[in-house]
Amino acid sequence: MAVKKIKTKDKHIKNLATIVGDASSILYQKVDLLAYECDGFTVYKHSPKAVVFPKNTNEVSALVKYCSDNQLPFLARGAGTGLSGGAIPLNNEVIISLVKMKKLLNVDLENRLAVVQPGYVNLKLTNSISDKGYYYAPDPSSQSCCTIGGNVAENAGGAHCLKYGVTTNHILGLEVVLPNGDIIELSENGILDVPGYDLLGLLTGSEGTLGIVTKITVRILKSPESKQTVLAYFDRVDDGSQAVSDIISAGIVPAALEMMDKTAIEAVESAAFPVGHPRDIAAVLLIEVDGIAAGIDEQINQILEVCKKRNVREVREAKDEQERASWWANRKTGFGAMGAISPDYLVQDGVIPRSKLPEVLKRIEQISQESGLRIANIFHAGDGNLHPLVLFDARIPGETDKAILAGSACLQACADVGGTITGEHGVGIEKREEMRFVFNDEEIIAQTNIREVFNPKNLLNAGKLFPTPGRCGEIKQVMKEATTVS
Amino acid sequence: MAVKKIKTKDKHIKNLATIVGDASSILYQKVDLLAYECDGFTVYKHSPKAVVFPKNTNEVSALVKYCSDNQLPFLARGAGTGLSGGAIPLNNEVIISLVKMKKLLNVDLENRLAVVQPGYVNLKLTNSISDKGYYYAPDPSSQSCCTIGGNVAENAGGAHCLKYGVTTNHILGLEVVLPNGDIIELSENGILDVPGYDLLGLLTGSEGTLGIVTKITVRILKSPESKQTVLAYFDRVDDGSQAVSDIISAGIVPAALEMMDKTAIEAVESAAFPVGHPRDIAAVLLIEVDGIAAGIDEQINQILEVCKKRNVREVREAKDEQERASWWANRKTGFGAMGAISPDYLVQDGVIPRSKLPEVLKRIEQISQESGLRIANIFHAGDGNLHPLVLFDARIPGETDKAILAGSACLQACADVGGTITGEHGVGIEKREEMRFVFNDEEIIAQTNIREVFNPKNLLNAGKLFPTPGRCGEIKQVMKEATTVS
């Protein structure tokens, strides 16, 4: 293969290319950078200075050191599926893409762990160990393309995190390049309960602001001996959400407990994976239990008992693995399915105490009416993690801002009942201002002080995670004032 | 009640007494301070300046602010059951005792949480909710007297943490007084997945060096429908430890999986709760499974199958709750039982990959022979958390130092196979030097930098958790040199 030549006089681009080998591992021309202007949060776009593709930890370290020494802003990017804008280059960053570091380095079944590079795709891990009876639990809807490095940055969740916990509960060790280029190993051999401060927990979910993860040791679980999945249809949203609360209070912990409302059902039934949900239904619960075969029926019966008490209209049990898989495909492509019923959508990610489900769903319906925008709800009901999907048309002037404001109001509703503003999508640039819903100044300063320890020059992913003045905040401020006046 | 008068001219004592009300909430005379010279780690003793007993968060905050403003070293103390010296006043500290803040503030069954003050005793929580079918999972052996505040500081574990996780997995929210007296709330309403950095995880297990916890929201669990407990006796330690590894690799997760060796059995059978373990046996496993009734027998059968393959001599199934309780009493008082066979003992707390159990147990036997001291092993085998108990006689000159050295060598053995130096007892002052077994300079500095953010004057619990020059380090150094030469 011929070595590509660098066609620019920018000395930094040339030097960065040298670090990663040659011009085939760097993008710097306008047209090549378009795809890197945003991630899964598409409302704001900014161009990076360049995108580099290191092949190993030492290259990442050298790139970081170069950026730090030369005052170049930089950030890390995986598959770019993040939903809060964590990988958007607000400051003309050098993007360090980790997609070439995509190896499965080790599987140790005896100690139940696997070691992966950050660019390794989530679902590949389960696929590569399922024949031996093991799997990796965190299952964000994007799992077929998102990377485990990105999952660590965002502390990703997923439908089965109700029973099995989010990403942070499955991370046993990390290799991290700090913002000065130093490489540290946290819990190198996957032994948890490490002495000292829990840096592993601190790094996980820090949204790429404290360091760049270059190697990850994860816990793998034995595949459950048996599972069963049911759909429960309700004529009233209230009954569905009460059933959720009742199931959990009864001490049952399903593997997954998902809910979709009428608008969401309209979308998923109009998209790629319809499964025949009744169109006139107010809410559907998708409930899965797993574990030892002998205990499955008992759990399902307890759940159906609860649903009956809450006036369930109809229950369907998956008759085989194929039907079960089709229900999950229907659910997991739910966000994208909004495209079938709306030109644009904005997904939010609030968390509430389960007991407040009925109250908050009513408030979201109100927000929908006030804003004149439809809001669909597809969410992890079991752990109170709501995903209101605000439907809008970006071509109509002002409607994007209106959607942002409605999304923000949904988060305020969550905060008002003692909940919080993100369950699994992160804060990124999207929810910086909403951090004020849940943290006072001292609490935010305690956090930015920690950032300063790791990232004193604030060159790494600046402008994310914490409230800062900026377009996003300004819009919301303007819209709030407008609302107050009208 | 007559108000007690302060009998000292020390202005700080007088001012501290004023903050907590009067002289009945402060100790400052030599004789009263004796009990506060050490905690459960009795090898080093130092006198505090005073012990104050605040009744609420505001008093804690005022005490901390006073200490900070007046450059007085201070630290927090719960029941004083810690095993690594975290509450020992190395610098003539003002001890802020939290034993008067011992209320159960709230139980919310619907959202499965409870709110307690830091001085609330661990076991009381389970006792106060068990009639409603709930319990609090973390169960350190000291649970009948240790406080939940102390559990948070040390990230306490326990026998059932194999299946249910250690303290950090059960903490949903904290109120914390920072070292400058500011009060912050983390995850105030017990909604996890809070945005921003995981300060909750950072504070948990920080061994009282970052702040003082004044309110704790914990997760409570539904009591399992059914449980069964078995004892499995092995003629060879190797067979017992292989059985442990096999059970976990088979995908079974017992609620608890404990192991005791011959010396430990000799001790527990000579102490307060003998249960008739055969005296000639090399190792006993105490195995408990819990969950839905229908699945229990299947799990027990799988476990017995594994034990048979590893040449188990005898198996006993608990015939009723009383027998089960007697087995646990026998196990949980195991450390104290050493008093029946040795004047003194020192317990260590290493963690290893389960697959290394046979190898490390052999190395510990070697260390015992080299040091001429008996070492008993009672431990959480399922999660690879070893507790070698070094038996010695402090009255024999030099034997205490020899025991410390042997304990340190056990931790080195754990670190050598990719393990670590503490699973649940913390580093405190005991294992400061051993931090170097698992962290290099950069990794330690990354942590002390974090301490500096919270605790810039280092007045709060100084000298703990990280390597510093001092008596402990010196002894070990001297002993190591002696060993090398001989």
Side-chain angles (χ1 to χ4, degrees):
Chain A
M1 197 179 76
V3 172
K4 269 175 71 181
K5 284 266 160 58
I6 288 284
K7 295 174 193 149
T8 172
K9 289 182 179 164
D10 185 315
K11 71 167 182 178
H12 292 315
I13 302 283
K14 286 181 182 169
N15 291 335
L16 291 167
T18 307
I19 292 172
V20 288
D22 66 49
S24 66
S25 290
I26 187 165
L27 300 174
Y28 55 92
Q29 286 173 319
K30 261 279 163 254
V31 58
D32 293 328
L33 298 178
L34 283 177
Y36 295 89
E37 289 187 345
C38 70
D39 55 15
F41 181 66
T42 57
V43 178
Y44 304 103
K45 297 187 181 184
H46 293 269
S47 183
K49 178 180 179 65
V51 185
V52 281
F53 299 88
K55 294 174 291 299
N56 55 52
T57 302
N58 287 337
E59 286 186 6
V60 174
S61 168
L63 289 168
V64 167
K65 198 161 175 354
Y66 183 86
C67 289
S68 175
D69 290 349
N70 292 280
Q71 292 290 328
L72 294 177
F74 62 102
L75 61 81
R77 180 182 167 111
T81 55
L83 291 165
S84 55
I88 297 179
L90 291 177
N91 313 287
N92 196 230
E93 271 88 352
V94 173
I95 292 183
I96 299 176
S97 166
L98 296 158
V99 296
K100 285 194 179 176
M101 292 173 65
K102 58 177 179 184
K103 284 195 203 114
L104 173 60
L105 298 172
N106 184 30
V107 174
D108 175 354
L109 296 181
E110 197 173 8
N111 289 303
R112 298 273 204 92
L113 54 86
V115 184
V116 302
Q117 288 188 312
Y120 189 66
V121 167
N122 176 302
L123 188 60
K124 277 192 167 180
L125 180 50
T126 290
N127 287 346
S128 73
I129 55 179
S130 62
D131 60 327
K132 293 169 195 93
Y134 290 86
Y135 76 113
Y136 176 60
D139 61 339
S141 294
S142 56
Q143 69 181 135
S144 60
C145 50
C146 66
T147 63
I148 293 182
N151 295 169
V152 171
E154 301 295 323
N155 190 17
H160 291 79
C161 292
L162 168 59
K163 180 165 178 180
Y164 294 102
V166 294
T167 299
T168 194
N169 303 115
H170 298 270
I171 300 301
L172 299 176
L174 293 176
E175 179 187 77
V176 184
V177 174
L178 296 177
N180 63 2
D182 282 355
I183 302 166
I184 63 172
E185 290 256 15
L186 301 173
S187 193
E188 190 170 351
N189 299 289
I191 299 294
L192 269 191
D193 302 319
V194 286
Y197 301 137
D198 181 15
L199 297 188
L200 204 61
L202 188 67
L203 265 294
T204 305
S206 61
E207 304 196 14
T209 64
L210 300 183
I212 299 178
V213 167
T214 47
K215 196 172 74 182
I216 305 150
T217 305
V218 301
R219 188 195 307 281
I220 54 179
L221 300 181
K222 189 85 179 170
S223 309
E225 189 185 30
S226 182
K227 45 181 97 161
Q228 179 55 296
T229 311
V230 300
L231 295 172
Y233 296 103
F234 294 84
D235 287 313
R236 296 176 57 239
V237 171
D238 253 24
D239 282 333
S241 40
Q242 277 298 348
V244 169
S245 197
D246 293 353
I247 289 168
I248 304 289
S249 323
I252 309 161
V253 184
L257 178 43
E258 303 282 302
M259 186 163 168
M260 291 192 284
D261 71 2
K262 190 172 183 147
T263 308
I265 291 169
E266 182 191 334
V268 295
E269 289 298 298
S270 309
F273 300 100
V275 296
H277 295 310
R279 295 293 187 110
D280 64 332
I281 211 78
V284 59
L285 296 184
L286 171 59
I287 311 168
E288 187 160 284
V289 298
D290 65 15
I292 291 192
I296 295 289
D297 286 350
E298 186 180 332
Q299 287 185 71
I300 289 284
N301 289 339
Q302 286 178 329
I303 287 168
L304 297 187
E305 214 45 57
V306 168
C307 289
K308 262 181 224 157
K309 277 191 197 139
R310 294 295 176 187
N311 313 307
V312 67
R313 184 206 289 187
E314 184 193 342
V315 169
R316 297 180 191 168
E317 295 195 36
K319 60 179 185 295
D320 52 27
E321 177 55 30
Q322 193 188 343
E323 186 165 63
R324 182 186 159 270
S326 74
W327 292 354
W328 276 113
N330 174 277
R331 160 63 188 87
K332 290 218 169 187
T333 50
F335 292 179
M338 295 300 143
I341 63 168
S342 173
D344 298 282
Y345 71 93
L346 190 139
V347 57
Q348 266 307 351
D349 176 40
V351 186
I352 56 169
R354 275 179 296 266
S355 57
K356 305 286 185 184
L357 262 179
E359 177 182 342
V360 173
L361 288 176
K362 268 181 212 134
R363 175 70 193 122
I364 290 174
E365 175 55 30
Q366 257 178 13
I367 292 166
S368 168
Q369 283 167 14
E370 286 163 16
S371 66
L373 299 173
R374 296 176 77 192
I375 303 184
N377 287 290
I378 300 190
F379 57 99
H380 309 313
D383 39 21
N385 186 191
L386 303 181
H387 290 315
L389 292 135
V390 184
L391 309 185
F392 69 102
D393 186 341
R395 295 164 305 186
I396 301 173
E399 199 155 300
T400 303
D401 288 354
K402 213 188 271 186
I404 292 173
L405 187 63
S408 182
C410 291
L411 296 183
Q412 181 72 68
C414 293
D416 286 347
V417 298
T420 190
I421 61 163
T422 175
E424 52 185 20
H425 298 173
V427 173
I429 59 175
E430 183 194 25
K431 290 184 278 276
R432 292 178 296 189
E433 291 308 310
E434 284 74 7
M435 287 288 272
R436 300 194 196 277
F437 295 173
V438 286
F439 292 117
N440 63 27
D441 286 350
E442 285 74 34
E443 290 157 350
I444 288 171
I445 289 167
Q447 296 183 66
T448 51
N449 282 344
I450 289 178
R451 181 181 64 192
E452 208 162 307
V453 167
F454 286 84
N455 188 6
K457 298 181 182 176
N458 204 15
L459 291 172
L460 173 59
N461 215 7
K464 307 291 169 68
L465 196 49
F466 301 108
T468 46
R471 184 172 137 69
C472 184
E474 278 159 22
I475 289 173
K476 284 171 191 164
Q477 200 44 47
V478 168
M479 292 302 293
K480 274 168 200 166
E481 280 161 10
T483 308
T484 312
V485 174
S486 71
Chain B
M1 198 179 76
V3 172
K4 268 175 72 181
K5 285 266 160 57
I6 289 283
K7 293 173 196 149
T8 172
K9 288 182 178 162
D10 185 315
K11 71 167 181 176
H12 292 315
I13 303 283
K14 287 181 182 169
N15 291 336
L16 291 166
T18 307
I19 291 171
V20 288
D22 65 50
S24 66
S25 290
I26 188 166
L27 300 175
Y28 55 92
Q29 288 172 319
K30 261 275 165 261
V31 58
D32 293 329
L33 298 178
L34 282 178
Y36 296 88
E37 288 187 345
C38 70
D39 55 14
F41 181 65
T42 57
V43 178
Y44 303 103
K45 297 187 180 181
H46 293 269
S47 182
K49 178 180 179 66
V51 185
V52 282
F53 299 87
K55 293 173 292 300
N56 54 52
T57 303
N58 286 338
E59 287 186 4
V60 174
S61 168
L63 289 169
V64 167
K65 200 165 173 349
Y66 183 85
C67 289
S68 175
D69 291 348
N70 292 280
Q71 293 289 329
L72 295 177
F74 62 102
L75 61 81
R77 180 182 167 112
T81 56
L83 291 166
S84 56
I88 297 179
L90 291 177
N91 313 286
N92 197 229
E93 270 89 352
V94 173
I95 292 183
I96 299 177
S97 166
L98 297 157
V99 295
K100 285 195 179 176
M101 293 175 64
K102 58 178 180 183
K103 285 194 203 114
L104 173 60
L105 298 172
N106 184 31
V107 174
D108 176 353
L109 296 181
E110 198 172 9
N111 289 304
R112 298 274 202 91
L113 55 86
V115 184
V116 301
Q117 288 188 313
Y120 190 68
V121 167
N122 175 301
L123 188 60
K124 278 192 166 177
L125 180 51
T126 291
N127 287 346
S128 73
I129 55 180
S130 62
D131 60 326
K132 295 170 195 91
Y134 290 85
Y135 77 113
Y136 176 60
D139 60 341
S141 293
S142 56
Q143 69 181 133
S144 60
C145 50
C146 66
T147 64
I148 294 182
N151 295 168
V152 171
E154 301 296 323
N155 189 19
H160 291 80
C161 293
L162 168 60
K163 180 166 179 180
Y164 294 103
V166 293
T167 299
T168 195
N169 303 115
H170 298 270
I171 300 302
L172 299 175
L174 292 175
E175 179 187 76
V176 184
V177 175
L178 296 177
N180 62 1
D182 282 356
I183 302 166
I184 63 171
E185 290 256 15
L186 300 173
S187 192
E188 189 170 352
N189 298 288
I191 299 295
L192 270 191
D193 302 319
V194 287
Y197 301 137
D198 181 14
L199 296 188
L200 205 60
L202 189 66
L203 266 295
T204 306
S206 60
E207 304 197 13
T209 63
L210 301 182
I212 299 178
V213 167
T214 47
K215 197 172 73 181
I216 305 150
T217 305
V218 300
R219 188 196 307 280
I220 54 179
L221 300 182
K222 190 85 178 167
S223 309
E225 190 185 30
S226 182
K227 46 180 96 160
Q228 180 55 295
T229 310
V230 300
L231 295 173
Y233 296 103
F234 294 85
D235 287 311
R236 294 178 58 240
V237 172
D238 252 26
D239 281 334
S241 42
Q242 277 298 345
V244 169
S245 196
D246 292 353
I247 289 167
I248 304 289
S249 325
I252 309 162
V253 184
L257 179 42
E258 302 281 299
M259 186 163 169
M260 291 192 283
D261 71 1
K262 189 172 183 146
T263 308
I265 291 170
E266 180 191 334
V268 295
E269 289 299 299
S270 308
F273 301 100
V275 296
H277 294 311
R279 294 292 185 111
D280 64 331
I281 210 78
V284 58
L285 296 184
L286 171 60
I287 311 167
E288 186 160 282
V289 299
D290 66 14
I292 291 190
I296 295 288
D297 286 349
E298 186 178 331
Q299 287 184 72
I300 289 285
N301 289 339
Q302 285 178 330
I303 288 169
L304 297 189
E305 212 48 54
V306 168
C307 289
K308 262 181 225 157
K309 277 191 198 139
R310 294 296 175 186
N311 312 307
V312 67
R313 184 206 290 186
E314 184 194 341
V315 169
R316 297 181 190 167
E317 293 195 38
K319 59 179 186 296
D320 53 27
E321 177 55 31
Q322 195 188 342
E323 186 165 62
R324 182 187 159 270
S326 74
W327 292 354
W328 276 112
N330 173 278
R331 161 63 187 87
K332 289 217 168 185
T333 50
F335 292 179
M338 295 300 142
I341 61 167
S342 172
D344 298 284
Y345 69 94
L346 190 139
V347 56
Q348 267 306 351
D349 176 41
V351 187
I352 55 169
R354 274 179 298 266
S355 57
K356 305 286 186 184
L357 262 179
E359 177 181 341
V360 174
L361 289 176
K362 267 181 213 135
R363 175 70 192 122
I364 290 174
E365 174 56 29
Q366 257 178 13
I367 292 167
S368 167
Q369 283 168 14
E370 286 163 15
S371 66
L373 299 173
R374 296 175 75 192
I375 303 183
N377 286 289
I378 300 190
F379 57 98
H380 309 311
D383 39 21
N385 185 189
L386 303 182
H387 291 315
L389 291 135
V390 184
L391 309 185
F392 68 102
D393 185 343
R395 295 164 304 185
I396 300 173
E399 199 154 299
T400 303
D401 287 355
K402 214 187 270 186
I404 292 173
L405 186 63
S408 182
C410 291
L411 297 181
Q412 181 72 67
C414 293
D416 286 347
V417 298
T420 189
I421 62 163
T422 175
E424 53 187 18
H425 298 173
V427 173
I429 58 175
E430 183 194 24
K431 291 184 279 276
R432 292 178 297 188
E433 292 307 310
E434 284 75 7
M435 287 287 272
R436 299 194 198 275
F437 295 173
V438 287
F439 293 117
N440 63 26
D441 286 351
E442 285 74 34
E443 291 157 350
I444 288 172
I445 289 167
Q447 297 184 65
T448 51
N449 282 344
I450 288 179
R451 181 182 62 191
E452 206 163 308
V453 167
F454 286 84
N455 188 6
K457 298 182 181 175
N458 202 16
L459 291 172
L460 174 58
N461 215 7
K464 308 290 169 70
L465 195 50
F466 300 108
T468 46
R471 183 170 138 72
C472 184
E474 279 159 23
I475 289 172
K476 284 171 192 163
Q477 198 46 46
V478 168
M479 294 300 296
K480 275 169 200 165
E481 281 161 9
T483 309
T484 312
V485 174
S486 69

